Amino acid sequence: MEGKYVSYSSKRLPGWWGYSTVDDLHQFAQALLANQLLSEANTEKLFKVHDNLGAHGYGFGFEVDDTAETTIVGHSGRFDGISANLDIFTKNGYIVVLLSNQSAGIAPLRQVTRALIHRLGTPQ
């Protein structure tokens, strides 16, 4: 389709793309942390890096970032005109959902929110 304009305005569901809200993603993360969607053993597998599979820095479908304070699992993505990020801080329970109507809008916010969570530490 070289030289042709392609419209992505259709609200299709997975298989092409989907849409969600901050509340949807927050509830999803809470359910994962509470082992309501998977057993505790399977959730741990989901959130563990599997280097032996060639997925450096990835669990099963999630980016995994181990820091001294916590493990951050989640995923980010972008497309023309949208970007999103879900960070689940597994050791201290924070969940950060970022949604933007800009293609590159999330990256700077992700850095800022991670720095803020680091400063907040574990809730008392």
Side-chain angles (χ1 to χ4, degrees):
M1 296 192 59
E2 194 171 324
K4 300 274 184 177
Y5 174 76
V6 178
S7 173
Y8 296 102
S9 61
S10 170
K11 288 185 178 178
R12 295 184 179 172
L13 293 175
W16 182 243
W17 57 321
Y19 59 94
S20 190
T21 67
V22 169
D23 192 49
D24 290 340
L25 292 169
H26 184 256
Q27 287 181 35
F28 172 69
Q30 286 180 313
L32 281 173
L33 288 175
N35 301 310
Q36 294 174 336
L37 302 177
L38 299 169
S39 68
E40 184 175 350
N42 283 334
T43 301
E44 287 176 14
K45 289 178 187 175
L46 194 71
F47 291 168
K48 181 180 177 230
V49 172
H50 298 281
D51 286 328
N52 60 322
L53 300 176
H56 305 290
Y58 270 85
F60 290 130
F62 287 91
E63 299 167 358
V64 180
D65 185 9
D66 283 315
T67 69
E69 297 81 29
T70 192
T71 298
I72 306 167
V73 298
H75 209 286
S76 61
R78 67 183 194 91
F79 193 72
D80 293 339
I82 59 169
S83 55
N85 186 76
L86 171 64
D87 276 344
I88 304 168
F89 297 76
T90 62
K91 294 179 185 169
N92 59 20
Y94 289 110
I95 298 166
V96 178
V97 178
L98 301 170
L99 302 177
S100 174
N101 61 354
Q102 297 181 18
S103 302
I106 293 300
L109 292 174
R110 182 181 185 186
Q111 291 175 337
V112 169
T113 57
R114 285 184 171 196
L116 288 172
I117 297 294
H118 174 73
R119 294 186 94 192
L120 287 172
T122 303
Q124 303 299 322

Coordinates of all heavy atoms in Angstrom, one line a residue, residues 31-110:
A31 N -5.6 -7.1 40.5 CA -6.0 -8.5 40.4 C -4.7 -9.4 40.2 O -4.7 -10.5 40.9 CB -7.0 -8.7 39.3
L32 N -3.8 -9.0 39.4 CA -2.5 -9.7 39.3 C -1.8 -9.8 40.6 O -1.4 -10.9 41.0 CB -1.6 -9.1 38.2 CG -1.9 -9.4 36.8 CD1 -1.0 -8.6 35.9 CD2 -1.8 -10.9 36.5
L33 N -1.6 -8.7 41.3 CA -0.9 -8.6 42.6 C -1.6 -9.5 43.6 O -1.0 -10.0 44.5 CB -0.7 -7.2 43.1 CG 0.3 -6.4 42.3 CD1 0.3 -4.9 42.8 CD2 1.7 -6.9 42.4
A34 N -2.9 -9.6 43.6 CA -3.7 -10.3 44.6 C -3.9 -11.8 44.2 O -4.6 -12.5 44.8 CB -5.1 -9.7 44.8
N35 N -3.2 -12.2 43.1 CA -3.3 -13.6 42.6 C -4.8 -14.0 42.3 O -5.2 -15.1 42.5 CB -2.7 -14.6 43.6 CG -1.2 -14.2 43.8 OD1 -0.5 -14.0 42.8 ND2 -0.8 -14.1 45.0
Q36 N -5.6 -13.0 41.8 CA -7.0 -13.3 41.5 C -7.1 -13.8 40.0 O -8.1 -14.4 39.7 CB -7.8 -12.1 41.7 CG -7.9 -11.6 43.1 CD -8.7 -10.3 43.3 OE1 -8.7 -9.5 42.3 NE2 -9.2 -10.1 44.4
L37 N -6.1 -13.6 39.2 CA -6.2 -14.1 37.8 C -5.4 -15.3 37.6 O -5.7 -16.1 36.7 CB -5.7 -13.0 36.9 CG -6.4 -11.6 37.0 CD1 -5.8 -10.6 36.1 CD2 -7.9 -11.8 36.6
L38 N -4.3 -15.5 38.3 CA -3.4 -16.7 38.2 C -3.0 -17.1 39.7 O -3.1 -16.3 40.6 CB -2.1 -16.3 37.5 CG -2.3 -15.8 36.1 CD1 -0.9 -15.2 35.6 CD2 -2.7 -17.0 35.2
S39 N -2.6 -18.3 39.8 CA -2.1 -18.8 41.1 C -0.8 -17.9 41.4 O -0.2 -17.3 40.5 CB -1.7 -20.2 41.0 OG -0.6 -20.4 40.2
E40 N -0.4 -17.9 42.7 CA 0.8 -17.2 43.1 C 2.0 -17.7 42.3 O 2.8 -16.9 41.9 CB 1.0 -17.4 44.6 CG 2.2 -16.6 45.1 CD 2.3 -16.6 46.6 OE1 1.4 -17.1 47.3 OE2 3.3 -16.2 47.1
A41 N 2.1 -19.0 42.1 CA 3.2 -19.6 41.4 C 3.3 -19.2 40.0 O 4.3 -18.8 39.5 CB 3.2 -21.1 41.5
N42 N 2.1 -19.1 39.3 CA 2.1 -18.7 37.9 C 2.3 -17.2 37.8 O 2.9 -16.7 36.8 CB 0.8 -19.1 37.3 CG 0.8 -20.6 36.9 OD1 1.9 -21.2 36.7 ND2 -0.4 -21.2 36.8
T43 N 1.8 -16.4 38.8 CA 2.1 -15.0 38.8 C 3.6 -14.7 38.9 O 4.1 -13.8 38.2 CB 1.3 -14.2 39.9 OG1 -0.1 -14.5 39.7 CG2 1.5 -12.7 39.9
E44 N 4.2 -15.4 39.8 CA 5.7 -15.3 39.9 C 6.4 -15.6 38.6 O 7.4 -14.9 38.2 CB 6.2 -16.2 41.0 CG 5.9 -15.7 42.4 CD 6.3 -16.7 43.5 OE1 7.1 -17.6 43.3 OE2 5.8 -16.5 44.7
K45 N 5.9 -16.6 37.9 CA 6.5 -17.0 36.6 C 6.3 -15.8 35.6 O 7.2 -15.5 34.8 CB 5.9 -18.2 36.0 CG 6.4 -19.5 36.8 CD 5.7 -20.7 36.2 CE 6.0 -21.9 37.0 NZ 5.2 -23.1 36.5
L46 N 5.1 -15.2 35.6 CA 4.8 -14.1 34.7 C 5.7 -12.9 35.0 O 6.2 -12.3 34.0 CB 3.4 -13.7 35.0 CG 2.6 -12.8 34.1 CD1 2.3 -13.6 32.8 CD2 1.4 -12.3 34.7
F47 N 6.1 -12.7 36.2 CA 6.9 -11.5 36.6 C 8.4 -11.8 36.7 O 9.1 -11.0 37.2 CB 6.4 -11.0 37.9 CG 5.0 -10.4 37.9 CD1 4.4 -10.1 39.1 CD2 4.4 -10.1 36.7 CE1 3.1 -9.5 39.1 CE2 3.1 -9.5 36.7 CZ 2.5 -9.2 37.9
K48 N 8.8 -13.0 36.2 CA 10.3 -13.4 36.3 C 10.9 -13.3 35.0 O 10.3 -13.7 34.0 CB 10.4 -14.8 36.9 CG 11.8 -15.3 37.1 CD 11.8 -16.7 37.6 CE 13.2 -17.2 37.7 NZ 13.4 -18.5 37.1
V49 N 12.1 -12.8 34.9 CA 12.9 -12.7 33.6 C 13.2 -14.2 33.2 O 13.6 -15.0 34.0 CB 14.1 -11.9 33.7 CG1 15.0 -12.0 32.5 CG2 13.8 -10.4 34.0
H50 N 13.0 -14.4 31.9 CA 13.3 -15.7 31.3 C 14.4 -15.6 30.3 O 14.1 -15.8 29.1 CB 12.0 -16.4 30.8 CG 11.0 -16.6 31.8 ND1 11.0 -17.6 32.7 CD2 9.9 -15.8 32.1 CE1 9.9 -17.5 33.5 NE2 9.2 -16.5 33.1
D51 N 15.6 -15.3 30.7 CA 16.8 -15.2 29.8 C 17.0 -16.4 29.0 O 17.4 -16.3 27.8 CB 18.0 -14.9 30.6 CG 18.0 -13.4 31.1 OD1 17.4 -12.5 30.5 OD2 18.6 -13.2 32.2
N52 N 16.7 -17.6 29.5 CA 16.9 -18.8 28.8 C 16.0 -18.9 27.5 O 16.3 -19.7 26.7 CB 16.7 -20.1 29.7 CG 15.2 -20.1 30.3 OD1 14.7 -19.1 30.6 ND2 14.7 -21.3 30.4
L53 N 15.0 -18.1 27.5 CA 14.1 -18.1 26.3 C 14.5 -17.0 25.3 O 13.8 -16.8 24.3 CB 12.7 -17.9 26.7 CG 12.1 -19.0 27.6 CD1 10.7 -18.7 28.1 CD2 12.1 -20.4 27.0
G54 N 15.6 -16.3 25.6 CA 16.1 -15.2 24.8 C 15.2 -13.9 25.0 O 15.3 -13.0 24.1
A55 N 14.5 -13.9 26.0 CA 13.7 -12.7 26.4 C 14.3 -11.9 27.4 O 13.8 -11.8 28.5 CB 12.3 -13.2 26.8
H56 N 15.5 -11.3 27.1 CA 16.2 -10.5 28.1 C 15.4 -9.3 28.6 O 14.9 -8.5 27.8 CB 17.5 -10.0 27.5 CG 18.4 -11.2 26.9 ND1 18.9 -12.1 27.8 CD2 18.6 -11.6 25.7 CE1 19.6 -13.0 27.0 NE2 19.4 -12.7 25.8
G57 N 15.2 -9.3 29.9 CA 14.4 -8.2 30.5 C 12.9 -8.4 30.4 O 12.1 -7.5 30.7
Y58 N 12.5 -9.6 30.0 CA 11.1 -9.9 29.8 C 10.7 -11.1 30.6 O 11.4 -12.1 30.7 CB 10.7 -10.1 28.4 CG 10.3 -8.9 27.7 CD1 11.2 -8.1 27.1 CD2 8.9 -8.5 27.6 CE1 10.8 -6.9 26.4 CE2 8.5 -7.3 26.9 CZ 9.5 -6.5 26.3 OH 9.1 -5.4 25.7
G59 N 9.5 -11.0 31.2 CA 8.8 -12.2 31.8 C 7.9 -12.7 30.7 O 8.2 -12.6 29.5
F60 N 6.8 -13.3 31.1 CA 5.9 -13.8 30.1 C 4.9 -12.7 29.8 O 3.9 -12.5 30.4 CB 5.1 -15.0 30.6 CG 6.0 -16.3 30.6 CD1 6.0 -17.1 31.8 CD2 6.8 -16.6 29.6 CE1 6.8 -18.2 31.8 CE2 7.6 -17.8 29.6 CZ 7.6 -18.5 30.8
G61 N 5.2 -11.8 28.8 CA 4.4 -10.7 28.4 C 4.6 -9.4 29.1 O 3.9 -8.4 28.8
F62 N 5.5 -9.4 30.1 CA 5.8 -8.2 30.8 C 7.3 -7.9 30.8 O 8.1 -8.7 30.9 CB 5.4 -8.4 32.3 CG 3.9 -8.4 32.5 CD1 3.2 -9.6 32.5 CD2 3.2 -7.2 32.7 CE1 1.8 -9.6 32.7 CE2 1.8 -7.2 32.9 CZ 1.1 -8.4 32.9
E63 N 7.6 -6.6 30.7 CA 8.9 -6.1 31.0 C 9.2 -6.2 32.5 O 8.3 -6.0 33.3 CB 9.0 -4.6 30.6 CG 8.7 -4.3 29.1 CD 8.5 -2.8 28.8 OE1 8.6 -2.0 29.7 OE2 8.3 -2.5 27.6
V64 N 10.4 -6.6 32.8 CA 10.8 -6.8 34.2 C 12.0 -6.0 34.5 O 13.0 -6.2 33.8 CB 11.0 -8.3 34.5 CG1 11.4 -8.5 36.0 CG2 9.8 -9.2 34.2
D65 N 11.9 -5.1 35.5 CA 13.1 -4.3 35.8 C 13.3 -4.4 37.3 O 12.6 -3.9 38.1 CB 12.8 -2.8 35.5 CG 13.9 -1.9 35.7 OD1 15.0 -2.3 36.0 OD2 13.7 -0.6 35.6
D66 N 14.4 -5.2 37.6 CA 14.7 -5.4 39.0 C 15.6 -4.3 39.5 O 16.6 -4.0 38.9 CB 15.4 -6.7 39.2 CG 14.5 -7.9 39.2 OD1 13.5 -7.9 39.8 OD2 14.8 -8.9 38.5
T67 N 15.2 -3.6 40.6 CA 16.0 -2.6 41.2 C 16.3 -3.0 42.6 O 15.7 -4.0 43.1 CB 15.3 -1.2 41.2 OG1 14.2 -1.3 42.1 CG2 14.8 -0.8 39.8
A68 N 17.1 -2.3 43.3 CA 17.5 -2.6 44.7 C 16.2 -2.5 45.6 O 16.0 -3.3 46.5 CB 18.5 -1.7 45.2
E69 N 15.3 -1.6 45.3 CA 14.1 -1.3 46.1 C 13.0 -2.2 45.8 O 12.2 -2.6 46.7 CB 13.7 0.1 46.0 CG 14.7 1.1 46.5 CD 15.8 1.4 45.5 OE1 15.5 1.3 44.3 OE2 16.9 1.8 45.9
T70 N 12.8 -2.5 44.5 CA 11.6 -3.2 44.1 C 11.8 -3.9 42.7 O 12.8 -3.7 42.1 CB 10.4 -2.2 44.0 OG1 9.2 -3.0 43.9 CG2 10.5 -1.2 42.9
T71 N 10.8 -4.6 42.4 CA 10.8 -5.1 41.0 C 9.6 -4.4 40.3 O 8.5 -4.4 40.8 CB 10.6 -6.7 41.0 OG1 11.6 -7.3 41.6 CG2 10.4 -7.2 39.6
I72 N 9.9 -3.9 39.1 CA 8.9 -3.2 38.4 C 8.5 -4.1 37.2 O 9.4 -4.5 36.4 CB 9.4 -1.8 37.9 CG1 9.9 -1.0 39.0 CG2 8.2 -1.1 37.1 CD1 10.7 0.3 38.6
V73 N 7.3 -4.4 37.1 CA 6.8 -5.2 35.9 C 5.7 -4.4 35.2 O 5.0 -3.6 35.9 CB 6.3 -6.6 36.3 CG1 7.4 -7.5 36.9 CG2 5.1 -6.5 37.3
G74 N 5.6 -4.6 34.0 CA 4.6 -3.9 33.2 C 4.8 -4.0 31.7 O 5.6 -4.9 31.3
H75 N 4.3 -3.0 31.1 CA 4.5 -3.0 29.6 C 4.2 -1.6 29.1 O 3.4 -0.9 29.7 CB 3.6 -4.0 28.9 CG 4.2 -4.5 27.6 ND1 4.3 -3.7 26.5 CD2 4.8 -5.7 27.3 CE1 4.9 -4.4 25.5 NE2 5.2 -5.6 26.0
S76 N 4.9 -1.2 28.1 CA 4.6 0.1 27.4 C 4.5 -0.2 25.9 O 4.9 -1.2 25.4 CB 5.7 1.1 27.7 OG 7.0 0.6 27.2
G77 N 3.8 0.8 25.3 CA 3.7 0.7 23.8 C 3.2 2.0 23.3 O 2.8 2.9 24.0
R78 N 3.4 2.1 22.0 CA 2.9 3.3 21.3 C 2.5 3.1 19.9 O 2.9 2.0 19.3 CB 4.0 4.4 21.4 CG 5.2 4.2 20.6 CD 6.2 5.3 20.8 NE 7.3 5.2 19.9 CZ 7.3 5.8 18.7 NH1 6.3 6.6 18.3 NH2 8.3 5.7 17.9
F79 N 1.8 4.0 19.3 CA 1.4 3.9 18.0 C 1.2 5.4 17.6 O 1.2 6.2 18.4 CB 0.1 3.1 17.8 CG -0.3 2.7 16.4 CD1 0.5 1.8 15.7 CD2 -1.3 3.3 15.7 CE1 0.2 1.4 14.4 CE2 -1.6 3.0 14.4 CZ -0.9 2.0 13.8
D80 N 1.0 5.6 16.3 CA 0.8 7.0 15.9 C -0.4 7.7 16.7 O -1.5 7.2 16.6 CB 0.4 7.1 14.4 CG 1.6 6.6 13.5 OD1 2.7 6.7 13.9 OD2 1.3 6.3 12.3
G81 N 0.0 8.7 17.5 CA -1.0 9.4 18.2 C -1.4 8.9 19.6 O -2.2 9.5 20.3
I82 N -0.8 7.8 20.0 CA -1.1 7.2 21.3 C 0.2 6.6 21.9 O 1.1 6.1 21.2 CB -2.2 6.2 21.3 CG1 -1.8 5.0 20.4 CG2 -3.5 6.8 20.9 CD1 -2.7 3.8 20.5
S83 N 0.2 6.6 23.3 CA 1.3 5.8 24.0 C 0.7 5.5 25.3 O -0.1 6.2 25.9 CB 2.6 6.6 24.1 OG 2.4 7.9 24.6
A84 N 1.2 4.4 25.9 CA 0.7 3.9 27.2 C 1.9 3.2 27.9 O 2.8 2.7 27.4 CB -0.4 3.0 27.0
N85 N 1.7 3.2 29.3 CA 2.7 2.5 30.1 C 2.0 2.0 31.4 O 1.2 2.7 32.0 CB 3.9 3.4 30.5 CG 4.9 2.6 31.3 OD1 5.7 1.9 30.7 ND2 5.0 2.8 32.6
L86 N 2.2 0.8 31.8 CA 1.7 0.2 33.0 C 3.0 -0.2 33.8 O 3.8 -1.1 33.3 CB 0.8 -1.0 32.8 CG 0.4 -1.8 34.0 CD1 -0.4 -1.0 35.0 CD2 -0.3 -3.1 33.6
D87 N 3.2 0.3 35.0 CA 4.2 -0.1 35.9 C 3.6 -0.6 37.2 O 2.8 0.0 37.8 CB 5.1 1.1 36.3 CG 6.2 1.4 35.3 OD1 6.5 0.5 34.4 OD2 6.8 2.5 35.4
I88 N 4.0 -1.9 37.5 CA 3.5 -2.5 38.8 C 4.7 -2.7 39.6 O 5.7 -3.4 39.2 CB 2.8 -3.9 38.5 CG1 1.7 -3.7 37.5 CG2 2.3 -4.5 39.8 CD1 1.2 -5.0 37.0
F89 N 4.8 -2.0 40.8 CA 5.9 -2.1 41.7 C 5.6 -3.3 42.7 O 4.8 -3.1 43.6 CB 6.1 -0.8 42.4 CG 6.5 0.3 41.5 CD1 5.6 0.9 40.7 CD2 7.9 0.7 41.4 CE1 5.9 2.0 39.8 CE2 8.2 1.8 40.5 CZ 7.3 2.4 39.7
T90 N 6.1 -4.4 42.4 CA 5.6 -5.7 43.1 C 6.0 -5.7 44.6 O 5.2 -6.3 45.3 CB 6.2 -6.9 42.4 OG1 7.6 -6.9 42.5 CG2 5.7 -7.0 41.0
K91 N 7.1 -5.1 45.0 CA 7.5 -5.2 46.4 C 6.9 -4.2 47.3 O 6.7 -4.4 48.5 CB 9.0 -5.2 46.5 CG 9.7 -6.4 45.9 CD 11.2 -6.3 46.0 CE 11.8 -7.4 45.2 NZ 13.3 -7.2 45.1
N92 N 6.5 -3.0 46.7 CA 5.9 -2.0 47.6 C 4.4 -1.7 47.2 O 3.8 -0.8 47.8 CB 6.7 -0.7 47.6 CG 6.9 -0.1 46.2 OD1 6.2 -0.3 45.3 ND2 7.9 0.8 46.1
G93 N 3.9 -2.3 46.1 CA 2.5 -2.3 45.9 C 2.0 -1.1 45.0 O 0.8 -1.0 44.8
Y94 N 2.9 -0.2 44.6 CA 2.4 0.9 43.8 C 2.1 0.4 42.4 O 2.7 -0.5 41.9 CB 3.5 2.0 43.7 CG 3.7 2.8 45.0 CD1 4.9 2.6 45.7 CD2 2.7 3.7 45.5 CE1 5.1 3.3 46.9 CE2 2.9 4.4 46.6 CZ 4.1 4.2 47.4 OH 4.3 4.9 48.5
I95 N 1.1 1.1 41.8 CA 0.7 0.9 40.4 C 0.6 2.2 39.7 O 0.0 3.1 40.2 CB -0.6 0.1 40.3 CG1 -0.6 -1.2 41.0 CG2 -1.1 0.0 38.9 CD1 -2.0 -1.8 41.3
V96 N 1.3 2.3 38.6 CA 1.3 3.6 37.8 C 0.8 3.3 36.4 O 1.4 2.4 35.7 CB 2.6 4.3 37.8 CG1 2.6 5.5 36.9 CG2 3.2 4.6 39.2
V97 N -0.3 3.9 36.0 CA -0.8 3.8 34.6 C -0.7 5.2 34.0 O -1.2 6.2 34.5 CB -2.3 3.4 34.7 CG1 -2.9 3.3 33.2 CG2 -2.5 2.1 35.4
L98 N 0.0 5.2 32.8 CA 0.1 6.4 32.1 C -0.5 6.2 30.7 O -0.1 5.2 30.0 CB 1.6 6.8 31.9 CG 2.4 7.0 33.2 CD1 3.9 7.1 32.9 CD2 1.9 8.2 33.9
L99 N -1.4 7.1 30.3 CA -2.0 7.0 28.9 C -1.8 8.4 28.3 O -2.0 9.4 29.0 CB -3.4 6.7 29.0 CG -3.8 5.4 29.6 CD1 -5.3 5.2 29.7 CD2 -3.2 4.2 28.9
S100 N -1.4 8.5 27.0 CA -1.2 9.7 26.4 C -1.8 9.7 25.0 O -1.8 8.7 24.3 CB 0.3 10.0 26.3 OG 0.6 11.2 25.5
N101 N -2.2 10.9 24.5 CA -2.6 11.0 23.1 C -1.5 11.5 22.2 O -1.8 12.2 21.2 CB -3.9 11.8 23.0 CG -3.8 13.2 23.5 OD1 -2.7 13.6 24.0 ND2 -4.8 14.0 23.3
Q102 N -0.3 11.3 22.6 CA 0.9 11.6 21.8 C 1.7 10.4 21.6 O 1.9 9.6 22.6 CB 1.7 12.7 22.5 CG 0.9 14.0 22.7 CD 1.8 15.1 23.3 OE1 3.0 15.0 23.4 NE2 1.1 16.1 23.9
S103 N 2.3 10.3 20.5 CA 3.1 9.1 20.2 C 4.3 8.9 21.1 O 4.6 7.8 21.5 CB 3.7 9.2 18.7 OG 2.6 9.3 17.8
A104 N 5.0 10.0 21.5 CA 6.2 9.9 22.4 C 5.9 10.5 23.7 O 6.9 10.9 24.4 CB 7.3 10.5 21.7
G105 N 4.7 10.6 24.2 CA 4.4 11.3 25.4 C 4.7 10.6 26.7 O 4.8 11.2 27.7
I106 N 4.9 9.3 26.7 CA 5.0 8.5 27.9 C 6.5 8.5 28.4 O 6.7 8.5 29.7 CB 4.5 7.1 27.7 CG1 3.0 7.1 27.5 CG2 4.8 6.2 28.8 CD1 2.2 7.7 28.6
A107 N 7.5 8.3 27.6 CA 8.8 8.1 28.1 C 9.3 9.1 29.2 O 9.8 8.6 30.2 CB 9.8 8.1 26.9
P108 N 9.2 10.4 29.0 CA 9.6 11.3 30.1 C 8.8 11.1 31.4 O 9.3 11.2 32.5 CB 9.5 12.7 29.5 CG 9.0 12.5 28.1 CD 8.7 11.1 27.8
L109 N 7.5 10.9 31.2 CA 6.6 10.7 32.4 C 7.0 9.4 33.1 O 6.9 9.4 34.4 CB 5.2 10.7 32.0 CG 4.6 12.0 31.5 CD1 3.2 11.8 31.0 CD2 4.6 13.1 32.6
R110 N 7.3 8.4 32.4 CA 7.7 7.1 33.0 C 8.9 7.3 33.9 O 9.0 6.8 35.0 CB 8.0 6.1 31.9 CG 8.3 4.7 32.5 CD 8.6 3.8 31.3 NE 8.9 2.4 31.8 CZ 9.2 1.4 31.1 NH1 9.4 1.6 29.7 NH2 9.4 0.2 31.6

